[in-house]
Amino acid sequence: GEDVEQSLFLSVREGDSSVINCTYTDSSSTYLYWYKQEPGAGLQLLTYIFSNMDMKQDQRLTVLLNKKDKHLSLRIADTQTGDSAIYFCAERASGTYKYIFGTGTRLKVLA
Amino acid sequence: DVKVTQSSRYLVKRTGEKVFLECVQDMDHENMFWYRQDPGLGLRLIYFSYDVKMKEKGDIPEGYSVSREKKERFSLILESASTNQTSMYLCATQAETQYFGPGTRLLVL
């Protein structure tokens, strides 16, 4: 069945770059998403990428997609303490309602 | 801005109680979802609804039911709460992407 995997924890120093990785199994995935969840809150969409793209950049965020390896990454440049949160990757196939979420990666930014 | 509200942020119930979690959206979206979030397991889909009175089971529907009498409101019902239903419950609506409510943290004693 479909599965999305992420490492559970990542710790970086303020000002460094963070790279959060995600692997998925469903080759029919058309949309791939990154969500951020701050403590005590719901999920907030950060960015998304279509499966026919390799890269998308949005200010400090860079998303890289390796479709052959089914690997997605989110790079946060100049990581700040306000970036501390749980980051979820999710996939969705075209024409379906269903999102498959990863387990989430807890990013801790050290001052 | 899309607004998704959930009736409670925190809820404490006893085993065997009937529990209602309410979700309301203001964007006229047809699709609404209920997830539960547990550490190390991510988000798991309980039920979703694609129109008024229409629903489909997600991955973990056992012990839950839902109600969608009006387009803007999607309710999750725990008929007889159990301790293994202690969790964070997230409601979402969907247009081009999913929009989430703030979550309800439910503790079943």
Side-chain angles (χ1 to χ4, degrees):
Chain A
E2 312 111 333
D3 195 17
V4 177
E5 292 191 357
Q6 300 177 238
S7 53
L8 292 180
F9 299 102
L10 177 65
S11 178
V12 299
R13 296 212 170 271
E14 193 174 17
D16 287 351
S17 291
S18 309
V19 179
I20 303 171
N21 294 301
C22 171
T23 57
Y24 60 97
T25 57
D26 187 356
S27 57
S28 66
S29 295
T30 304
Y31 306 94
L32 295 135
Y33 304 87
W34 283 105
Y35 284 85
K36 177 184 180 182
Q37 184 183 34
E38 294 183 355
L43 276 66
Q44 173 193 359
L45 179 69
L46 281 179
T47 188
Y48 63 94
I49 190 169
F50 296 109
S51 60
N52 61 358
M53 298 167 65
D54 296 325
M55 186 180 92
K56 182 178 181 182
Q57 188 149 4
D58 184 1
Q59 299 183 332
R60 291 191 298 124
L61 305 178
T62 303
V63 178
L64 294 177
L65 175 61
N66 181 329
K67 199 173 178 185
K68 175 176 166 289
D69 294 339
K70 298 191 184 74
H71 182 265
L72 183 73
S73 67
L74 174 70
R75 179 175 179 269
I76 306 172
D78 186 25
T79 313
Q80 303 297 307
T81 53
D83 295 322
S84 292
I86 303 176
Y87 291 82
F88 289 92
C89 116
E91 60 166 358
R92 179 169 71 94
S94 178
T96 70
Y97 301 119
K98 194 173 179 185
Y99 285 59
I100 308 296
F101 284 86
T103 53
T105 299
R106 186 179 293 273
L107 174 66
K108 185 170 182 178
V109 181
L110 306 171
Chain B
D1 274 356
V2 175
K3 192 160 186 184
V4 182
T5 56
Q6 294 184 228
S7 50
S8 305
R9 295 300 302 273
Y10 301 95
L11 214 48
V12 180
K13 296 291 181 181
R14 294 208 173 272
T15 302
E17 280 192 78
K18 190 168 186 176
V19 182
F20 293 88
L21 302 183
E22 303 280 336
C23 176
V24 178
Q25 52 113 347
D26 67 353
M27 284 303 293
D28 205 36
H29 290 166
E30 290 178 345
N31 300 332
M32 296 186 75
F33 301 77
W34 274 107
Y35 295 91
R36 66 176 279 176
Q37 180 184 2
D38 300 288
L41 297 177
L43 272 68
R44 293 181 291 166
L45 180 64
I46 305 172
Y47 268 97
F48 76 94
S49 169
Y50 49 91
D51 204 346
V52 174
K53 296 190 190 294
M54 307 303 285
K55 61 187 179 186
E56 279 199 27
K57 292 180 180 178
D59 298 318
I60 51 162
E62 297 80 18
Y64 303 95
S65 61
V66 290
S67 172
R68 185 111 181 257
E69 296 296 319
K70 292 185 178 181
K71 195 172 187 180
E72 67 269 19
R73 188 180 297 268
F74 189 35
S75 303
L76 180 70
I77 303 153
L78 287 65
E79 294 289 341
S80 177
S82 63
T83 54
N84 63 13
Q85 292 178 309
T86 290
S87 188
M88 171 76 134
Y89 290 88
L90 292 165
C91 171
T93 72
Q94 183 178 320
E96 70 284 356
T97 183
Q98 289 201 342
Y99 299 91
F100 284 83
T104 297
R105 193 168 288 281
L106 172 66
L107 172 63
V108 182
L109 299 174

